[in-house]
Amino acid sequence: MAEYRIPFNKPCLTGSELLYAAKAIILGHSAGDGSFSKNCHTLLERELAVSKVLLTTSCTHALEMAAMLLELGPGDEVIVPSYAFVSTVNPFILRGAKPVFADIRSDTMNIDERLIEPLITERTRAIVPLHYAGVACEMDDILEIARRHKIAIVEDNAHGLYACYRGRYLGTFGEVAAQSFHETKNITCGEGGALIVNDARLISRAEILRDKGTNRKQFLRGEVDKYTWVDIGSSYPMSDILAAFLLAQLEKRVEILNKRRAIWNYYDRHLGGWAQDHGVQQPTVPGHCEQSYHMYYLVLPSCEVRQQLIEHLKERSILSVFHYTALHASSMGLQFGARPDQCPVASQISDRLLRLPFYNDLTEEDLKLIVTSIREFKMALRPASTAGSLYALNAATGTSASAAIAAAEPVTSAR
Ligand SMILES: Cc1ncc(COP(=O)(O)O)c(C=O)c1O
């Protein structure tokens, strides 16, 4: 893979990761739920003011636990945004549930809360709001819909740790929520996640599902005199070596957030005039949302222009990437009965959104180079294609333009 002067992502250490990981190894408890895991649990539970946090091997696995906890199965339907990662939906399909794809808002890229209710049937069991880029979905409306129809909410908060909606932390709204600590996330340990259990009635079963379907946790607390197989389950605890790495990062969360805020603000300020002049959309962060500064993206006028900008930046050794391909129009989405034209905004954004390099240690010099390079991009000379021509392209080829580009340029997509 090509080396870039400015890569898209670079995992950044904060200082104590190696020391803590070494301690975890020396302490001799490298399996899950050792002292470092417990410290992560306590820190997150205290800060987010939630009943239970359980570290997991990934956000994907936390979502699998969510699907089991809600006892989803064949015949059940789950409403998911089409513009999402595969892990937002796969955990529910693994239980036999059917995904029902909702389109997104063209400002925040979040599930469009106005489109949820028409998708609800007597089979709907859950809504999965994904807080894209760590900017909250419209949770007041979504909570009200869920309450009225007695449907559960599972938050996919992979991007949004420490972001808020009307002053309340994301991940605290749904019955359960899932976090990611994958190396691309703000706070990381390489691979990892967490399940937040907000509904206290689900806590003891969550512990059991996470521990191979056994009541081992209750046994360790002295609540039962032996431990045994009591339910379905799998093996989801994070190794304490990774939890040690994670604790080092969690302890530096304020520093990490400050660095990311500065990077996001730099992009937003310095690209503002250029974006306006060229019909490029910058991110929207509603006033009642405090974001997590997870990513900075631009929505280009067309798929072709996006690809040209990717190439232009590559020539300057800068890697920018596109993001999700709309799930409803994927081969799996179609197998579940989705129509290719079901979520037009998701299709558009899938073709036009570009993510700029974003990691904690991006320097001002790097940022200057990225911004200058973008401003040098001669968009006026490019085909003035529009959303309309993009659809024409898709219709003519019968495929998504972004999928075609993804096939040609595998390194330009990232999660
Ligand atoms: C929205 C979303 N959900 C879930 C995941 C899966 O996270 P993990 O890699 O921790 O399983 C990702 C990963 O990038 C994501 O972006």
Side-chain angles (χ1 to χ4, degrees):
M1 199 188 287
E3 293 271 335
Y4 293 90
R5 171 170 170 192
I6 305 179
F8 168 68
N9 178 57
K10 195 156 74 178
C12 300
L13 299 182
T14 58
S16 305
E17 287 88 348
L18 270 173
L19 181 67
Y20 284 14
K23 264 195 192 167
I25 294 166
I26 291 163
L27 280 172
H29 187 124
S30 51
D33 291 340
S35 58
F36 286 101
S37 301
K38 284 180 188 141
N39 285 339
C40 291
H41 289 156
T42 308
L43 184 152
L44 287 165
E45 283 164 8
R46 195 186 55 234
E47 289 209 315
L48 303 175
V50 293
S51 316
K52 195 75 187 170
V53 173
L54 293 166
L55 292 186
T56 56
T57 31
S58 66
C59 178
T60 308
H61 282 165
L63 288 164
E64 285 181 23
M65 285 180 64
M68 281 190 231
L69 271 176
L70 297 179
E71 300 186 61
L72 298 179
D76 294 333
E77 292 177 359
V78 178
I79 297 178
V80 292
S82 171
Y83 192 65
F85 192 53
V86 285
S87 295
T88 311
V89 59
N90 257 337
F92 303 97
I93 289 163
L94 281 173
R95 308 306 312 153
K98 179 184 167 201
V100 176
F101 297 101
D103 208 352
I104 56 165
R105 298 173 59 111
S106 58
D107 53 359
T108 57
M109 316 304 156
N110 283 329
I111 191 166
D112 190 332
E113 67 284 355
R114 296 160 297 190
L115 302 178
I116 292 175
E117 206 148 20
L119 298 175
I120 292 176
T121 70
E122 72 278 3
R123 292 165 178 253
T124 309
R125 297 281 318 285
I127 305 169
V128 190
L130 150 58
H131 306 295
Y132 187 72
V135 175
C137 298
E138 280 306 329
M139 292 312 297
D140 281 350
D141 302 72
I142 296 173
L143 284 168
E144 170 55 21
I145 294 167
R147 192 195 54 74
R148 209 166 341 109
H149 293 273
K150 297 189 171 55
I151 297 170
I153 293 178
V154 178
E155 291 175 79
D156 181 342
N157 196 30
H159 303 174
L161 184 59
Y162 296 122
C164 291
Y165 175 77
R166 300 193 193 283
R168 181 170 157 191
Y169 283 122
L170 303 189
T172 68
F173 291 89
E175 273 74 358
V176 287
Q179 302 294 152
S180 175
F181 301 115
H182 180 263
E183 76 167 19
T184 50
K185 302 302 183 286
N186 294 14
I187 289 173
T188 174
C189 59
E191 296 275 3
L195 182 75
I196 298 176
V197 190
N198 295 311
D199 182 340
R201 291 167 301 181
L202 300 175
I203 294 175
S204 95
R205 186 153 187 260
E207 290 178 339
I208 289 169
L209 300 179
R210 178 169 169 267
D211 225 340
K212 297 103 184 157
T214 72
N215 57 354
R216 186 165 161 273
K217 268 272 183 326
Q218 287 169 291
F219 171 69
L220 292 174
R221 286 196 293 260
E223 292 164 13
V224 290
D225 59 4
K226 59 180 185 309
Y227 88 83
T228 179
W229 182 27
V230 294
D231 205 331
I232 60 165
S234 193
S235 184
Y236 294 125
M238 174 192 284
S239 156
D240 220 47
I241 301 172
L242 287 180
F245 189 131
L246 181 64
L247 183 67
Q249 296 244 322
L250 283 170
E251 286 177 349
K252 292 286 170 62
R253 63 206 169 276
V254 174
E255 193 180 297
I256 292 173
L257 195 72
N258 286 342
K259 282 183 175 183
R260 298 184 78 94
R261 183 187 296 112
I263 294 166
W264 197 97
N265 286 338
Y266 188 100
Y267 276 137
D268 207 52
R269 209 169 36 247
H270 289 86
L271 288 171
W274 172 85
Q276 263 193 350
D277 292 348
H278 293 84
V280 172
Q281 182 183 333
Q282 293 176 281
T284 298
V285 183
H288 52 281
C289 299
E290 216 176 293
Q291 62 156 320
S292 61
Y293 301 97
H294 176 54
M295 69 170 92
Y296 197 86
Y297 63 79
L298 298 170
V299 182
L300 281 306
S302 75
C303 188
E304 299 92 318
V305 171
R306 178 178 71 177
Q307 187 56 22
Q308 286 157 357
L309 181 52
I310 289 173
E311 293 303 332
H312 170 88
L313 292 174
K314 267 190 191 166
E315 284 159 17
R316 285 148 186 82
S317 204
I318 299 166
L319 183 60
S320 59
V321 301
F322 57 80
H323 210 187
Y324 307 131
T325 52
L327 294 178
H328 76 278
S330 66
S331 57
M332 272 297 273
L334 297 174
Q335 276 180 47
F336 282 104
R339 287 174 284 101
D341 61 352
Q342 186 170 318
C343 304
V345 182
S347 294
Q348 286 254 7
I349 295 305
S350 176
D351 282 333
R352 293 166 47 199
L353 185 142
L354 181 71
R355 296 175 68 187
L356 300 182
F358 209 116
Y359 45 89
N360 304 346
D361 294 345
L362 256 184
T363 64
E364 190 156 344
E365 194 192 335
D366 295 333
L367 285 165
K368 251 186 206 152
L369 180 66
I370 299 164
V371 164
T372 310
S373 302
I374 292 174
R375 294 168 75 100
E376 282 167 5
F377 176 57
K378 298 277 188 290
M379 201 186 305
L381 300 178
R382 315 279 161 173
S385 67
T386 60
S389 66
L390 181 67
Y391 278 129
L393 171 68
N394 290 350
T397 59
T399 100
S400 147
S402 61
I405 289 167
E409 276 295 343
V411 297
T412 55
S413 174
R415 58 174 163 181

